[in-house]
Coordinates of all heavy atoms in Angstrom, one line a residue:
M260 N -7.3 -25.1 -11.3 CA -7.0 -25.1 -12.6 C -5.7 -24.3 -12.9 O -5.6 -23.2 -12.5 CB -8.1 -24.6 -13.4 CG -8.2 -25.1 -14.9 SD -9.5 -24.2 -15.8 CE -8.7 -22.6 -16.1
E261 N -4.9 -24.9 -13.7 CA -3.6 -24.1 -14.2 C -3.9 -23.1 -15.2 O -4.8 -23.3 -16.1 CB -2.7 -25.2 -14.9 CG -1.9 -26.1 -13.9 CD -0.6 -25.6 -13.6 OE1 0.3 -25.3 -14.5 OE2 -0.2 -25.5 -12.4
L262 N -3.3 -21.9 -14.9 CA -3.6 -20.8 -15.9 C -2.7 -21.1 -17.1 O -1.6 -21.5 -17.1 CB -3.3 -19.5 -15.2 CG -4.3 -19.0 -14.3 CD1 -3.7 -17.8 -13.4 CD2 -5.5 -18.5 -15.0
K263 N -3.3 -20.7 -18.2 CA -2.5 -20.9 -19.5 C -1.4 -19.8 -19.6 O -1.6 -18.7 -19.0 CB -3.5 -20.6 -20.7 CG -3.2 -21.4 -21.8 CD -4.2 -21.3 -23.0 CE -3.4 -21.5 -24.3 NZ -4.1 -21.3 -25.5
Q264 N -0.3 -20.2 -20.3 CA 0.9 -19.3 -20.4 C 0.8 -18.6 -21.7 O 0.6 -19.3 -22.7 CB 2.1 -20.1 -20.2 CG 2.1 -20.8 -18.9 CD 3.4 -20.6 -18.1 OE1 4.4 -20.1 -18.7 NE2 3.5 -21.0 -16.8
Y265 N 1.1 -17.3 -21.7 CA 1.2 -16.6 -23.1 C 2.5 -15.9 -23.1 O 3.1 -15.4 -22.1 CB 0.1 -15.6 -23.2 CG -1.3 -16.3 -23.2 CD1 -2.1 -16.4 -22.0 CD2 -1.8 -16.7 -24.4 CE1 -3.3 -17.0 -22.1 CE2 -3.1 -17.3 -24.5 CZ -3.9 -17.4 -23.3 OH -5.0 -18.1 -23.3
T266 N 3.0 -15.7 -24.4 CA 4.2 -15.0 -24.6 C 3.8 -13.5 -24.8 O 2.7 -13.1 -24.9 CB 4.8 -15.5 -26.0 OG1 4.0 -15.1 -27.1 CG2 5.2 -16.9 -26.0
K267 N 4.9 -12.6 -24.8 CA 4.7 -11.2 -25.0 C 4.0 -10.9 -26.3 O 3.2 -10.0 -26.5 CB 6.0 -10.6 -25.0 CG 6.5 -10.0 -23.7 CD 7.7 -9.2 -23.9 CE 8.3 -8.8 -22.6 NZ 9.6 -8.1 -22.8
Q268 N 4.4 -11.7 -27.3 CA 3.8 -11.6 -28.7 C 2.3 -11.9 -28.7 O 1.6 -11.1 -29.4 CB 4.5 -12.5 -29.7 CG 6.0 -12.2 -30.0 CD 7.0 -12.4 -28.9 OE1 6.7 -13.3 -27.9 NE2 8.1 -11.8 -28.9
Q269 N 1.9 -12.9 -28.0 CA 0.5 -13.3 -27.9 C -0.3 -12.2 -27.2 O -1.4 -11.8 -27.6 CB 0.3 -14.6 -27.3 CG 0.8 -15.8 -28.1 CD 0.8 -17.1 -27.3 OE1 1.3 -17.2 -26.2 NE2 0.1 -18.1 -27.9
L270 N 0.3 -11.7 -26.1 CA -0.3 -10.6 -25.3 C -0.4 -9.3 -26.3 O -1.5 -8.7 -26.3 CB 0.6 -10.3 -24.2 CG 0.2 -9.0 -23.2 CD1 -1.2 -9.2 -22.7 CD2 1.2 -8.8 -22.2
A271 N 0.6 -9.1 -27.0 CA 0.7 -7.8 -27.9 C -0.5 -7.9 -28.9 O -1.0 -6.8 -29.3 CB 2.0 -7.8 -28.6
L272 N -1.0 -9.0 -29.3 CA -2.1 -9.1 -30.2 C -3.4 -8.7 -29.6 O -4.5 -8.4 -30.3 CB -2.2 -10.5 -30.8 CG -1.2 -11.0 -31.8 CD1 -1.3 -12.4 -32.1 CD2 -1.3 -10.1 -33.1
R273 N -3.5 -8.7 -28.3 CA -4.7 -8.3 -27.5 C -4.6 -6.8 -27.1 O -4.9 -6.5 -26.0 CB -5.0 -9.2 -26.3 CG -5.6 -10.5 -26.7 CD -4.8 -11.4 -27.4 NE -5.4 -12.7 -27.7 CZ -4.8 -13.9 -28.2 NH1 -3.5 -13.9 -28.3 NH2 -5.5 -14.9 -28.4
N274 N -4.2 -6.0 -28.0 CA -4.0 -4.6 -27.7 C -5.2 -3.7 -28.0 O -5.2 -2.5 -28.0 CB -2.8 -4.1 -28.5 CG -3.0 -4.2 -30.0 OD1 -4.0 -4.7 -30.5 ND2 -2.0 -3.7 -30.8
G275 N -6.4 -4.4 -28.4 CA -7.6 -3.7 -28.7 C -7.7 -3.2 -30.2 O -8.6 -2.6 -30.6
Q276 N -6.6 -3.6 -31.0 CA -6.6 -3.3 -32.4 C -6.6 -4.5 -33.3 O -7.2 -4.4 -34.3 CB -5.3 -2.4 -32.7 CG -5.1 -1.3 -31.8 CD -6.1 -0.1 -32.1 OE1 -6.1 0.4 -33.3 NE2 -6.8 0.4 -31.1
D277 N -5.9 -5.5 -32.9 CA -5.7 -6.7 -33.7 C -6.7 -7.8 -33.5 O -7.1 -8.5 -34.4 CB -4.3 -7.2 -33.6 CG -3.3 -6.3 -34.0 OD1 -3.4 -5.7 -35.1 OD2 -2.3 -6.0 -33.3
K278 N -7.2 -7.9 -32.3 CA -8.1 -9.0 -32.0 C -9.3 -8.4 -31.1 O -9.1 -7.2 -30.5 CB -7.5 -10.1 -31.2 CG -6.7 -11.0 -32.0 CD -6.1 -12.2 -31.2 CE -5.2 -13.1 -32.0 NZ -5.9 -14.1 -32.8
V279 N -10.3 -9.2 -30.9 CA -11.4 -8.6 -30.1 C -11.0 -8.5 -28.6 O -11.4 -7.5 -27.9 CB -12.7 -9.6 -30.2 CG1 -13.8 -9.2 -29.3 CG2 -13.2 -9.6 -31.6
E280 N -10.3 -9.5 -28.1 CA -10.0 -9.4 -26.7 C -9.0 -8.4 -26.4 O -8.1 -8.0 -27.1 CB -9.3 -10.8 -26.2 CG -10.0 -12.0 -26.5 CD -9.5 -12.6 -27.9 OE1 -8.4 -13.1 -28.0 OE2 -10.3 -12.5 -28.9
I281 N -9.2 -7.8 -25.2 CA -8.2 -6.8 -24.7 C -7.7 -7.2 -23.4 O -8.3 -7.4 -22.4 CB -9.0 -5.4 -24.5 CG1 -9.6 -5.0 -25.9 CG2 -8.0 -4.3 -24.1 CD1 -10.4 -3.7 -25.9
W282 N -6.3 -7.4 -23.4 CA -5.6 -7.9 -22.2 C -4.6 -7.0 -21.7 O -3.9 -6.2 -22.5 CB -4.9 -9.3 -22.6 CG -5.8 -10.4 -22.9 CD1 -7.2 -10.4 -22.8 CD2 -5.4 -11.7 -23.4 NE1 -7.6 -11.7 -23.3 CE2 -6.6 -12.4 -23.6 CE3 -4.2 -12.2 -23.6 CZ2 -6.5 -13.8 -24.1 CZ3 -4.0 -13.5 -24.1 CH2 -5.3 -14.3 -24.3
V283 N -4.4 -7.0 -20.4 CA -3.3 -6.2 -19.7 C -2.6 -7.1 -18.8 O -3.2 -7.9 -18.0 CB -3.9 -5.0 -19.0 CG1 -2.9 -4.3 -18.1 CG2 -4.6 -4.0 -20.0
A284 N -1.2 -7.0 -18.7 CA -0.5 -7.8 -17.7 C 0.0 -6.9 -16.6 O 0.4 -5.7 -16.8 CB 0.7 -8.5 -18.4
W285 N 0.0 -7.5 -15.4 CA 0.6 -6.8 -14.2 C 1.2 -8.0 -13.3 O 0.5 -8.9 -13.0 CB -0.6 -6.1 -13.5 CG -0.1 -5.4 -12.2 CD1 0.6 -4.2 -12.2 CD2 -0.1 -5.9 -10.9 NE1 0.9 -3.9 -10.9 CE2 0.5 -4.9 -10.1 CE3 -0.6 -7.1 -10.3 CZ2 0.7 -5.1 -8.7 CZ3 -0.4 -7.2 -8.9 CH2 0.2 -6.2 -8.2
E286 N 2.4 -7.8 -13.0 CA 3.2 -8.7 -12.2 C 3.0 -10.2 -12.6 O 2.8 -11.0 -11.8 CB 2.8 -8.5 -10.7 CG 3.0 -7.1 -10.2 CD 4.1 -7.1 -9.1 OE1 4.1 -8.0 -8.3 OE2 5.0 -6.2 -9.2
G287 N 3.1 -10.4 -13.9 CA 3.0 -11.8 -14.5 C 1.6 -12.3 -14.6 O 1.5 -13.4 -15.3
N288 N 0.6 -11.6 -14.2 CA -0.8 -12.1 -14.4 C -1.4 -11.3 -15.6 O -1.2 -10.1 -15.7 CB -1.6 -11.9 -13.2 CG -1.3 -12.7 -12.1 OD1 -0.9 -13.9 -12.2 ND2 -1.4 -12.2 -10.8
I289 N -2.1 -12.0 -16.5 CA -2.8 -11.3 -17.6 C -4.3 -11.2 -17.2 O -5.0 -12.2 -16.9 CB -2.6 -12.1 -18.8 CG1 -1.1 -12.2 -19.2 CG2 -3.4 -11.5 -20.0 CD1 -0.8 -13.1 -20.5
Y290 N -4.8 -10.0 -17.3 CA -6.2 -9.7 -17.0 C -7.0 -9.4 -18.3 O -6.4 -8.7 -19.1 CB -6.3 -8.5 -16.1 CG -5.7 -8.6 -14.7 CD1 -4.4 -8.5 -14.5 CD2 -6.5 -9.0 -13.7 CE1 -3.9 -8.6 -13.2 CE2 -6.1 -9.1 -12.4 CZ -4.6 -9.0 -12.2 OH -4.2 -9.2 -10.9
D291 N -8.2 -9.9 -18.4 CA -9.1 -9.6 -19.5 C -9.9 -8.3 -19.2 O -10.8 -8.4 -18.3 CB -9.9 -10.8 -19.7 CG -10.8 -10.6 -21.0 OD1 -10.9 -9.5 -21.5 OD2 -11.2 -11.6 -21.6
V292 N -9.7 -7.2 -19.9 CA -10.4 -6.0 -19.7 C -11.3 -5.6 -20.8 O -11.7 -4.5 -21.0 CB -9.4 -4.8 -19.3 CG1 -8.7 -5.1 -18.0 CG2 -8.4 -4.5 -20.5
T293 N -11.6 -6.7 -21.6 CA -12.4 -6.5 -22.8 C -13.7 -5.7 -22.5 O -14.1 -4.8 -23.3 CB -12.7 -7.8 -23.5 OG1 -11.5 -8.5 -23.7 CG2 -13.3 -7.5 -24.9
K294 N -14.3 -6.0 -21.4 CA -15.6 -5.4 -21.1 C -15.5 -4.0 -20.5 O -16.6 -3.3 -20.3 CB -16.3 -6.4 -20.0 CG -16.7 -7.7 -20.6 CD -17.8 -8.4 -19.8 CE -18.0 -9.8 -20.1 NZ -17.4 -10.7 -19.0
S295 N -14.4 -3.6 -20.3 CA -14.2 -2.3 -19.6 C -14.5 -1.1 -20.6 O -13.8 -1.0 -21.7 CB -12.8 -2.1 -19.0 OG -12.7 -0.7 -18.5
R296 N -15.3 -0.2 -20.2 CA -15.5 1.1 -21.0 C -14.2 1.9 -21.0 O -14.0 2.6 -21.9 CB -16.6 1.9 -20.4 CG -18.0 1.6 -20.8 CD -19.0 2.6 -20.3 NE -18.8 2.9 -18.9 CZ -18.4 4.1 -18.4 NH1 -18.1 5.1 -19.2 NH2 -18.3 4.3 -17.1
L297 N -13.5 1.8 -19.9 CA -12.2 2.6 -19.7 C -11.0 2.0 -20.6 O -10.0 2.7 -20.5 CB -11.9 2.7 -18.3 CG -12.9 3.5 -17.5 CD1 -12.7 3.3 -16.0 CD2 -12.8 5.0 -17.9
W298 N -11.2 0.9 -21.2 CA -10.1 0.3 -22.1 C -10.6 0.2 -23.5 O -10.0 -0.7 -24.2 CB -9.6 -1.0 -21.4 CG -8.7 -0.8 -20.2 CD1 -9.2 -0.7 -18.9 CD2 -7.3 -0.7 -20.2 NE1 -8.0 -0.5 -18.2 CE2 -6.9 -0.5 -18.9 CE3 -6.3 -0.6 -21.3 CZ2 -5.6 -0.2 -18.6 CZ3 -5.1 -0.5 -20.9 CH2 -4.6 -0.3 -19.6
K299 N -11.6 0.9 -23.9 CA -12.0 0.8 -25.2 C -11.0 1.0 -26.3 O -10.1 1.8 -26.2 CB -13.1 1.9 -25.5 CG -14.5 1.3 -25.6 CD -15.5 2.4 -25.8 CE -16.5 1.9 -27.0 NZ -16.8 3.0 -27.8
N300 N -11.0 0.1 -27.2 CA -9.9 0.1 -28.3 C -8.5 -0.1 -27.8 O -7.6 0.1 -28.5 CB -10.0 1.3 -29.2 CG -11.4 1.6 -29.7 OD1 -12.0 0.6 -30.3 ND2 -11.9 2.8 -29.7
G301 N -8.5 -0.6 -26.6 CA -7.1 -0.9 -26.0 C -6.4 0.3 -25.3 O -5.3 0.2 -24.8
K302 N -7.1 1.5 -25.4 CA -6.4 2.7 -24.9 C -7.1 3.1 -23.5 O -8.3 3.1 -23.3 CB -6.6 3.8 -25.8 CG -5.6 4.9 -25.6 CD -5.2 5.6 -26.8 CE -3.9 6.4 -26.5 NZ -4.2 7.6 -25.8
H303 N -6.2 3.4 -22.5 CA -6.6 3.8 -21.2 C -5.7 5.0 -20.8 O -4.6 4.8 -20.5 CB -6.4 2.6 -20.2 CG -6.8 2.9 -18.7 ND1 -8.2 3.1 -18.4 CD2 -6.0 3.1 -17.7 CE1 -8.1 3.4 -17.1 NE2 -6.9 3.4 -16.6
Y304 N -6.3 6.2 -20.9 CA -5.5 7.4 -20.8 C -4.3 7.3 -21.6 O -4.5 7.1 -22.9 CB -5.2 7.6 -19.2 CG -6.5 7.8 -18.5 CD1 -7.2 6.7 -17.9 CD2 -7.1 9.0 -18.3 CE1 -8.4 6.8 -17.4 CE2 -8.3 9.2 -17.8 CZ -9.0 8.0 -17.2 OH -10.2 8.2 -16.6
E305 N -3.1 7.5 -21.2 CA -2.0 7.5 -22.2 C -1.4 6.0 -22.3 O -0.3 5.8 -22.9 CB -1.0 8.5 -21.9 CG 0.0 8.2 -20.7 CD -0.6 8.9 -19.4 OE1 -1.9 8.9 -19.3 OE2 0.3 9.4 -18.7
H306 N -2.1 5.0 -21.8 CA -1.5 3.7 -21.8 C -2.3 2.8 -22.8 O -3.5 2.9 -23.0 CB -1.7 3.0 -20.5 CG -1.0 3.8 -19.4 ND1 0.4 3.7 -19.4 CD2 -1.3 4.6 -18.4 CE1 0.8 4.6 -18.4 NE2 -0.2 5.1 -17.8
W307 N -1.5 1.8 -23.4 CA -2.1 0.9 -24.3 C -2.1 -0.6 -23.7 O -1.1 -0.9 -23.0 CB -1.2 0.8 -25.6 CG -1.6 2.0 -26.5 CD1 -0.9 3.1 -26.6 CD2 -2.7 2.0 -27.4 NE1 -1.5 3.9 -27.6 CE2 -2.7 3.2 -28.1 CE3 -3.8 1.1 -27.8 CZ2 -3.6 3.7 -29.0 CZ3 -4.7 1.5 -28.7 CH2 -4.6 2.8 -29.3
A308 N -3.1 -1.3 -24.0 CA -3.3 -2.7 -23.5 C -2.3 -3.5 -24.4 O -1.6 -3.0 -25.3 CB -4.7 -3.2 -23.8
G309 N -2.3 -4.9 -24.1 CA -1.4 -5.8 -24.9 C 0.0 -5.8 -24.5 O 0.9 -6.3 -25.2
Q310 N 0.2 -5.2 -23.2 CA 1.6 -5.3 -22.7 C 1.6 -5.4 -21.2 O 0.6 -5.3 -20.5 CB 2.4 -4.0 -23.2 CG 1.6 -2.8 -22.9 CD 2.4 -1.5 -23.4 OE1 3.6 -1.5 -23.4 NE2 1.7 -0.5 -23.7
D311 N 2.8 -5.5 -20.6 CA 3.0 -5.6 -19.2 C 3.0 -4.1 -18.7 O 3.9 -3.3 -19.1 CB 4.4 -6.3 -19.0 CG 4.6 -6.3 -17.4 OD1 3.9 -5.7 -16.6 OD2 5.6 -7.1 -17.1
L312 N 2.1 -3.7 -17.9 CA 2.0 -2.3 -17.3 C 2.3 -2.3 -15.8 O 1.8 -1.4 -15.1 CB 0.6 -1.7 -17.7 CG 0.3 -1.5 -19.2 CD1 -1.1 -1.0 -19.3 CD2 1.2 -0.5 -19.7
T313 N 3.1 -3.2 -15.4 CA 3.5 -3.2 -13.9 C 4.2 -1.9 -13.5 O 3.8 -1.3 -12.5 CB 4.5 -4.4 -13.7 OG1 3.9 -5.6 -14.1 CG2 4.8 -4.5 -12.2
E314 N 5.1 -1.4 -14.3 CA 5.8 -0.2 -13.9 C 4.9 1.0 -14.0 O 4.9 1.9 -13.2 CB 7.1 0.0 -14.8 CG 8.2 -0.9 -14.5 CD 8.7 -0.8 -13.0 OE1 8.8 0.4 -12.5 OE2 8.8 -1.8 -12.4
E315 N 4.0 1.0 -15.1 CA 3.2 2.1 -15.3 C 2.1 2.4 -14.2 O 1.8 3.5 -13.9 CB 2.4 2.0 -16.6 CG 3.4 2.2 -17.9 CD 4.3 1.1 -18.2 OE1 4.3 0.0 -17.5 OE2 4.9 1.2 -19.3
L316 N 1.7 1.2 -13.6 CA 0.7 1.3 -12.6 C 1.2 2.2 -11.4 O 0.4 2.8 -10.7 CB 0.2 0.0 -12.0 CG -0.9 0.0 -11.1 CD1 -2.2 0.4 -11.8 CD2 -1.2 -1.4 -10.5
K317 N 2.5 2.2 -11.2 CA 3.0 3.0 -10.1 C 2.7 4.5 -10.2 O 2.7 5.2 -9.3 CB 4.6 2.8 -9.9 CG 4.9 1.3 -9.6 CD 6.4 1.1 -9.6 CE 6.7 -0.4 -9.4 NZ 8.0 -0.8 -9.7
D318 N 2.5 4.9 -11.4 CA 2.2 6.3 -11.7 C 0.7 6.6 -11.8 O 0.3 7.7 -12.0 CB 2.9 6.8 -13.0 CG 4.4 6.7 -12.9 OD1 4.9 6.9 -11.8 OD2 5.0 6.3 -13.9
A319 N -0.1 5.6 -11.7 CA -1.6 5.7 -11.9 C -2.2 6.3 -10.6 O -1.7 6.2 -9.5 CB -2.3 4.4 -12.2
P320 N -3.3 7.0 -10.8 CA -4.1 7.6 -9.7 C -4.8 6.6 -8.8 O -5.7 6.9 -8.0 CB -5.0 8.6 -10.3 CG -5.3 8.1 -11.7 CD -4.1 7.3 -12.0
H321 N -4.6 5.3 -9.1 CA -5.4 4.2 -8.4 C -4.4 3.1 -8.1 O -3.3 3.0 -8.8 CB -6.5 3.7 -9.2 CG -6.3 3.4 -10.6 ND1 -5.5 2.3 -10.9 CD2 -6.6 4.0 -11.8 CE1 -5.3 2.2 -12.2 NE2 -5.9 3.2 -12.8
T322 N -4.8 2.1 -7.4 CA -4.0 0.9 -7.1 C -4.5 -0.2 -8.0 O -5.4 -0.1 -8.8 CB -4.1 0.5 -5.6 OG1 -5.5 0.0 -5.4 CG2 -3.8 1.6 -4.7
I323 N -3.8 -1.4 -7.7 CA -4.2 -2.6 -8.4 C -5.7 -3.1 -8.1 O -6.3 -3.9 -8.8 CB -3.2 -3.8 -8.1 CG1 -3.4 -5.0 -8.9 CG2 -3.2 -4.1 -6.6 CD1 -3.2 -4.8 -10.4
R324 N -6.3 -2.5 -7.1 CA -7.7 -2.9 -6.7 C -8.7 -2.7 -7.9 O -9.7 -3.3 -8.0 CB -8.1 -2.1 -5.5 CG -7.4 -2.5 -4.3 CD -8.1 -2.1 -3.0 NE -9.4 -2.7 -2.9 CZ -10.3 -2.5 -1.9 NH1 -9.9 -1.8 -0.9 NH2 -11.5 -3.1 -1.9
V325 N -8.3 -1.8 -8.9 CA -9.2 -1.6 -10.0 C -9.4 -2.9 -10.8 O -10.3 -3.1 -11.6 CB -8.7 -0.5 -11.0 CG1 -8.8 0.9 -10.3 CG2 -7.2 -0.7 -11.4
F326 N -8.4 -3.9 -10.6 CA -8.5 -5.1 -11.4 C -9.4 -6.2 -10.7 O -9.6 -7.2 -11.3 CB -7.1 -5.7 -11.5 CG -6.2 -5.0 -12.6 CD1 -5.3 -4.1 -12.3 CD2 -6.4 -5.5 -14.0 CE1 -4.6 -3.5 -13.3 CE2 -5.6 -4.9 -14.9 CZ -4.7 -3.9 -14.6
E327 N -9.9 -5.9 -9.6 CA -10.6 -6.9 -8.8 C -11.8 -7.5 -9.5 O -12.1 -8.6 -9.4 CB -11.1 -6.3 -7.5 CG -10.0 -6.4 -6.4 CD -10.4 -5.6 -5.1 OE1 -11.5 -5.0 -5.0 OE2 -9.5 -5.6 -4.2
K328 N -12.4 -6.6 -10.3 CA -13.7 -7.1 -11.0 C -13.3 -7.8 -12.4 O -14.2 -8.3 -13.1 CB -14.7 -6.0 -11.3 CG -14.2 -4.9 -12.0 CD -15.3 -3.9 -12.4 CE -15.0 -2.5 -12.1 NZ -15.7 -1.4 -12.8
F329 N -12.0 -8.0 -12.7 CA -11.6 -8.6 -13.9 C -10.9 -9.9 -13.7 O -10.2 -10.1 -12.6 CB -10.7 -7.7 -14.7 CG -11.3 -6.4 -15.1 CD1 -11.0 -5.3 -14.4 CD2 -12.3 -6.3 -16.2 CE1 -11.7 -4.1 -14.7 CE2 -12.9 -5.2 -16.5 CZ -12.6 -4.0 -15.8
D330 N -11.2 -10.9 -14.5 CA -10.5 -12.3 -14.4 C -9.1 -12.3 -14.8 O -8.8 -11.7 -15.8 CB -11.4 -13.3 -15.1 CG -12.7 -13.4 -14.6 OD1 -12.9 -13.3 -13.4 OD2 -13.7 -13.7 -15.4
I331 N -8.3 -13.1 -14.1 CA -6.9 -13.4 -14.6 C -7.2 -14.5 -15.5 O -7.7 -15.6 -15.2 CB -6.1 -13.8 -13.4 CG1 -5.9 -12.6 -12.5 CG2 -4.7 -14.3 -13.9 CD1 -5.0 -13.0 -11.2
I332 N -6.8 -14.3 -16.8 CA -7.1 -15.3 -17.8 C -5.8 -16.1 -18.1 O -5.8 -17.1 -18.8 CB -7.7 -14.8 -19.0 CG1 -6.9 -13.7 -19.7 CG2 -9.1 -14.3 -18.7 CD1 -5.9 -14.0 -20.6
G333 N -4.6 -15.7 -17.7 CA -3.4 -16.4 -18.0 C -2.2 -15.8 -17.3 O -2.3 -14.8 -16.6
K334 N -1.0 -16.4 -17.6 CA 0.3 -15.9 -17.0 C 1.2 -15.4 -18.2 O 1.2 -16.1 -19.3 CB 0.9 -17.0 -16.3 CG 0.3 -17.5 -15.0 CD 0.9 -16.7 -13.9 CE 0.2 -17.0 -12.7 NZ 0.6 -16.0 -11.5
L335 N 1.9 -14.4 -18.0 CA 2.9 -13.9 -19.0 C 4.2 -14.7 -18.8 O 4.8 -14.7 -17.8 CB 3.0 -12.4 -18.9 CG 3.9 -11.7 -19.9 CD1 3.4 -11.9 -21.3 CD2 4.1 -10.3 -19.5
I336 N 4.6 -15.3 -20.0 CA 5.9 -16.0 -20.0 C 7.0 -15.0 -20.0 O 7.0 -14.0 -20.8 CB 6.1 -16.9 -21.2 CG1 5.0 -18.0 -21.1 CG2 7.4 -17.6 -21.2 CD1 4.8 -18.8 -22.4
K337 N 8.0 -15.0 -19.0 CA 9.0 -14.0 -18.9 C 10.0 -14.0 -20.1 O 10.3 -15.1 -20.6 CB 9.8 -14.2 -17.7 CG 8.9 -13.9 -16.5 CD 9.5 -13.1 -15.4 CE 8.5 -12.6 -14.3 NZ 8.2 -13.8 -13.4
Ligands
HEM605 C1 -1.9 8.1 -16.1 C2 -2.3 6.8 -15.8 C3 -3.7 6.5 -15.4 C4 -4.7 7.1 -15.2 C5 -4.9 8.7 -15.2 C6 -5.8 6.2 -14.8 C7 -7.1 6.6 -14.5 C8 -8.1 5.7 -14.2 C9 -9.4 6.1 -13.7 C10 -9.9 7.5 -13.5 C11 -10.2 5.0 -13.5 C12 -11.5 4.9 -13.0 C13 -11.7 5.2 -11.6 C14 -11.0 4.3 -10.7 O1 -11.4 3.1 -10.6 O2 -10.1 4.8 -9.9 C15 -9.3 3.9 -13.9 C16 -9.6 2.5 -13.8 C17 -8.8 1.5 -14.2 N1 -7.5 1.6 -14.5 FE1 -6.4 3.2 -14.7 N2 -5.3 4.9 -14.9 C18 -4.0 5.0 -15.2 C19 -3.1 4.0 -15.4 C20 -3.5 2.6 -15.4 C21 -2.6 1.5 -15.7 C22 -1.1 1.6 -16.0 C23 -3.3 0.3 -15.6 C24 -2.9 -1.1 -15.8 C25 -1.8 -1.5 -15.1 C26 -4.7 0.8 -15.2 C27 -5.8 0.0 -15.1 C28 -7.0 0.3 -14.8 C29 -8.2 -0.7 -14.7 C30 -8.1 -2.2 -14.9 C31 -9.2 0.1 -14.3 C32 -10.7 -0.4 -14.0 C33 -11.5 -0.2 -15.3 C34 -12.9 -0.5 -15.1 O3 -13.4 -0.6 -14.0 O4 -13.7 -0.6 -16.2 N3 -4.8 2.2 -15.2 N4 -8.0 4.3 -14.3

């Protein structure tokens, strides 16, 4: 199945403040982290959902493996 494509603006609405869904992008993939306790209200330590956090992940104390339990729900349009 083809993944749906979303713009930055659409992603930005899933920041945990404007809509129920909480999304985070990494390397062009958009992950749904709505169910995560650690992303409540869109905030994760000093980071906000609703954006591409590819660069920020490099400074995190963990790798991309933390996304394994979350579904990729779409692709971010560049
Ligand atoms: C200063 C930066 C950050 C800190 C201190 C931090 C800390 C943590 C900690 C302690 C956990 C739970 C333990 C673990 O799985 O290792 C976690 C989980 C996670 N982090 Fe981060 N993180 C940071 C940045 C990021 C960034 C930039 C992203 C996204 C690109 C991210 C995405 C996630 C996800 C998806 C989880 C899994 C949440 C869950 O299982 O419910 N983190 N983080």
Side-chain angles (χ1 to χ4, degrees):
M260 200 190 78
E261 284 264 305
L262 284 166
K263 216 178 146 186
Q264 305 226 348
Y265 294 95
T266 62
K267 269 189 185 176
Q268 289 73 19
Q269 288 172 308
L270 174 62
L272 288 171
R273 276 73 179 195
N274 61 355
Q276 305 288 306
D277 300 310
K278 285 186 183 277
V279 176
E280 309 93 68
I281 304 176
W282 294 352
V283 171
W285 180 82
E286 298 247 322
N288 291 324
I289 299 176
Y290 294 83
D291 186 339
V292 296
T293 309
K294 292 200 194 107
S295 175
R296 270 190 313 112
L297 292 168
W298 282 90
K299 250 180 133 220
N300 304 316
K302 196 147 196 288
H303 181 72
Y304 298 87
E305 72 265 41
H306 300 288
W307 281 98
Q310 53 179 330
D311 181 348
L312 292 175
T313 303
E314 285 305 310
E315 286 79 356
L316 187 68
K317 293 173 185 165
D318 300 322
H321 55 67
T322 67
I323 188 63
R324 293 197 60 178
V325 291
F326 282 99
E327 278 171 0
K328 59 171 131 155
F329 300 100
D330 293 326
I331 294 175
I332 54 88
K334 290 268 176 192
L335 182 61
I336 299 168
K337 294 226 171 77

